[in-house]
Amino acid sequence: MGTAKMKGPPEARIGSLPLPLSERTWSGWLVAGVCATAGIGTWSFVVGGFTAYYVPAGEGTATMIAGALIGQLLVTLSQVPPVAKYGIETLASTKPQLGIRGSYFALIVQYATLIGWNCVLMIFFGRAVASVLIETGIIGPVQADAVAIASSLIGAGVVFWLLTGGSTSLKYAGSIIAVGVSIIGLWMYGMLFNAYGLDAIAAAAPLAPIENDRLMNFTVGTELLILSTLGWWAYMGSLFRMLNCVSKGVVPSMLSLGFGWAAVGLIGLYSALVVGEPDPTVWMLQIAGPVAGVCVLVFVALANIGSALVGAHAATLGIGQIPAVARRFGWKMKAFIVLIPMLLALLFFPGPFYDNIGTFMAFIGIIIAPICGVQIVDWFVFKRLDDLDLVSLYQHDSRSRYWYLYGFNPAGIAALVIGAVVYMLLLDPLTFVPNSTLLRYLTASIPSALAGAVTYWGLTKALRMDAREGTYRLRERDV
Amino acid sequence: MGPNDEPAYRDVDVDPEEYITQALKAGTLVGTGHTTKDLWMLFLLGVVCPALILAWGWM
């Protein structure tokens, strides 16, 4: 049985197992395009709108771009080397650090992140449809909720349909969507600058800054983007395992995901500052009328469905790491299982879900920052990249080299806890109110990642890691 | 072995251990790792550029 005779996407045939080199044919340009598709969504405007609370346009431009690059550096170092070298997805890459069972913590983080953001994207899409239809007089305000929910569900249906095509859909849809959203994004910049002028945007005051503390506002603005960008960690395996070489992934990761989503987020920052509204379906209709509204709707549809597709793809690969799921279900059924919570949220409580988006962002940062720190230490200090035991990643019992203590790596789990505690000591992740004056010099995500990294390094040494072999001597059967 | 000299890993009920073992033996699974140049590029894009941008934004 050879590759030439096989049909369908690779996910339908080998699920979440490592992709062979013959399937990893994406170029750097292609992965950059799909990264842009994933990165550019209405979440960019949401984050830009949050940033406008703290900093004006000039400082906000710097904090958004720099914060995104810093966050993406952590994500790139922790994910691109193992994923592009071995063809594994994100969740499998956490098993050496957290243990076979411990990696289920990472699965929860990944699943909640991906599905949470997907819900937000689809709710935003539904609301955009309703908003444009109201402004153009096609429906009345009383029908808005029903139309928004129906549109969200249709969007989710399109995502499911595309998802059944696996990485093949990512390849084709991603390329087309990237071009479309980039062109419309540039046009939106032009419309905003034409309507309000650069001087007005530059002079606009932040919406609700922390009083009399410019440095704290500057740092919180930076932290906001580091925190949000860390969310890409959950998506990386889906995109970068299609490469056969790490070098092809470094620049696309930093520029398409890091810089790209911040560049679009700046539209949300500027519009929030001068209009008081980051949502382009509102301000574009106001300044350019219904034709512009339709164009923005096309942007929202393309961008959000593209981003949701990548998220759902990564989540489907992630749940495929659960042996019971992998054994029982094919790719389509796994894709459907992934979308069930999303459908329920869209149907029954879209409003509360959308209003609590900040909780999701907090959830992402306090766990993912230390995971990145731990993985970077493991790959580059302990040199595990050179000695990754692929078979052990898929052995779900004590035969696995990554079984450690009852399936958990105590060093990795402790590092996550310490990292999350450090984050909360510096910044309240729910309210974004600083808990320490040190925040203004440190940010919260960087110390959290460092605390996770140092804890993992120290405990690994204390638990007698054999650095030469890259394995622990302390394993369940040795205890 | 198939026409591309890859092991027969394509069955729906594929055994992960067998699939990976065969693919590793055939050399069809592990790609090219990172280089020093990649790390320097990351240093430039993830450390130097943000530092310069933040300095510009602050001033």
Side-chain angles (χ1 to χ4, degrees):
Chain A
M1 197 187 305
T3 51
K5 295 176 183 174
M6 303 311 299
K7 293 193 187 300
E11 294 87 345
R13 289 176 262 126
I14 54 173
S16 304
L17 291 174
L19 271 186
L21 289 169
S22 59
E23 305 277 7
R24 289 150 61 186
T25 55
W26 286 17
S27 66
W29 284 105
L30 178 57
V31 83
V34 181
C35 281
T37 298
I40 300 172
T42 45
W43 44 29
S44 308
F45 305 125
V46 173
V47 173
F50 273 125
T51 308
Y53 282 104
Y54 301 98
V55 282
E59 291 181 12
T61 303
T63 59
M64 285 192 73
I65 293 174
L69 288 174
I70 294 167
Q72 194 61 26
L73 173 69
L74 295 175
V75 170
T76 304
L77 282 170
S78 66
Q79 282 295 292
V80 173
V83 163
K85 182 176 180 182
Y86 293 103
I88 56 177
E89 50 75 57
T90 300
L91 195 71
S93 77
T94 65
K95 292 178 181 177
Q97 299 88 36
L98 303 180
I100 296 296
R101 287 177 175 162
S103 70
Y104 292 136
F105 287 124
L107 174 63
I108 293 167
V109 171
Q110 186 194 33
Y111 191 78
T113 304
L114 296 169
I115 297 306
W117 276 117
N118 271 11
C119 287
V120 169
L121 291 169
M122 286 301 105
I123 292 167
F124 200 110
F125 169 63
R127 290 183 176 187
V129 172
S131 172
V132 171
L133 291 180
I134 288 171
E135 290 295 329
T136 51
I138 295 172
I139 63 168
V142 287
Q143 297 157 301
D145 284 347
V147 169
I149 291 173
S151 303
S152 298
L153 291 173
I154 290 169
V158 172
V159 169
F160 174 72
W161 174 66
L162 289 171
L163 188 55
T164 57
S167 53
T168 310
S169 290
L170 290 186
K171 179 179 174 180
Y172 292 111
S175 309
I176 296 164
I177 289 172
V179 174
V181 295
S182 299
I183 292 169
I184 300 176
L186 287 173
W187 175 69
M188 287 162 75
Y189 262 114
M191 295 297 289
L192 190 64
F193 291 155
N194 266 338
Y196 297 99
L198 282 173
D199 290 341
I201 292 170
L207 305 179
I210 299 162
E211 285 186 15
N212 302 320
D213 198 335
R214 184 184 170 216
L215 181 56
M216 186 65 91
N217 284 304
F218 194 77
T219 309
V220 170
T222 307
E223 170 58 28
L224 193 54
L225 261 292
I226 299 175
L227 172 75
S228 311
T229 303
L230 288 173
W232 295 131
W233 176 86
Y235 294 74
M236 296 297 280
S238 165
L239 301 170
F240 288 87
R241 73 180 200 141
M242 303 307 297
L243 297 174
N244 58 15
C245 172
V246 175
S247 297
K248 290 181 183 174
V250 169
V251 174
S253 171
M254 292 300 295
L255 295 187
S256 280
L257 274 180
F259 175 80
W261 94 296
V264 175
L266 290 175
I267 300 172
L269 168 72
Y270 301 153
S271 61
L273 287 169
V274 289
V275 192
E277 175 58 70
D279 181 354
T281 58
V282 176
W283 61 262
M284 282 291 281
L285 275 167
Q286 289 171 1
I287 64 174
V291 174
V294 172
C295 289
V296 172
L297 189 58
V298 170
F299 176 94
V300 170
L302 287 174
N304 286 13
I305 287 174
S307 302
L309 171 63
V310 179
H313 184 261
T316 308
L317 286 175
I319 67 162
Q321 293 291 341
I322 302 170
V325 174
R327 277 196 303 268
R328 289 190 177 89
F329 304 116
W331 176 254
K332 285 183 183 176
M333 183 52 77
K334 281 187 282 188
F336 183 69
I337 291 169
V338 158
L339 291 177
I340 288 174
M342 188 171 143
L343 293 174
L344 294 175
L346 296 177
L347 199 54
F348 295 113
F349 42 90
F353 204 97
Y354 190 84
D355 294 339
N356 290 293
I357 179 178
T359 309
F360 270 104
M361 291 169 66
F363 185 63
I364 290 165
I366 65 170
I367 299 296
I368 295 182
I371 288 181
C372 289
V374 164
Q375 289 199 299
I376 291 168
V377 166
D378 208 40
W379 305 138
F380 296 101
V381 178
F382 295 145
K383 309 283 186 191
R384 185 102 66 178
L385 269 178
D386 304 329
D387 189 32
L388 192 65
D389 185 342
L390 286 177
V391 173
S392 282
L393 294 180
Y394 299 89
Q395 287 173 325
H396 295 269
D397 51 42
S398 60
R399 292 174 302 144
S400 171
R401 198 167 156 182
Y402 309 125
W403 187 250
Y404 305 113
L405 283 170
Y406 306 103
F408 297 91
N409 183 351
I413 303 296
L416 297 194
V417 173
I418 300 284
V421 169
V422 165
Y423 192 101
M424 288 187 283
L425 287 173
L426 289 165
L427 181 68
D428 184 327
L430 297 179
T431 61
F432 246 65
V433 172
N435 284 333
S436 166
T437 52
L438 287 175
L439 179 78
R440 62 163 72 92
Y441 310 108
L442 299 175
T443 73
S445 292
I446 294 174
S448 172
L450 274 175
V454 170
T455 304
Y456 183 71
W457 178 83
L459 282 178
T460 300
K461 291 287 184 188
L463 292 172
R464 298 183 295 134
M465 177 182 172
D466 188 326
R468 188 174 55 81
E469 293 183 8
T471 57
Y472 281 100
R473 289 180 185 139
L474 184 62
R475 294 170 58 173
E476 186 185 43
R477 60 170 173 258
D478 302 328
V479 177
Chain B
M1 289 290 182
N4 295 338
D5 289 324
E6 286 187 352
Y9 54 77
R10 302 304 182 129
D11 299 316
V12 173
D13 297 321
V14 62
D15 174 52
E17 292 177 39
E18 191 184 339
Y19 157 64
I20 294 169
T21 305
Q22 285 191 36
L24 286 173
K25 276 183 189 167
T28 56
L29 208 54
V30 181
T32 310
H34 66 280
T35 62
T36 308
K37 188 182 162 193
D38 297 330
L39 297 180
W40 277 112
M41 182 61 79
L42 281 172
F43 180 72
L44 177 69
L45 293 174
V47 178
V48 177
C49 287
L52 292 174
I53 292 167
L54 286 174
W56 165 78
W58 181 252
M59 289 186 283

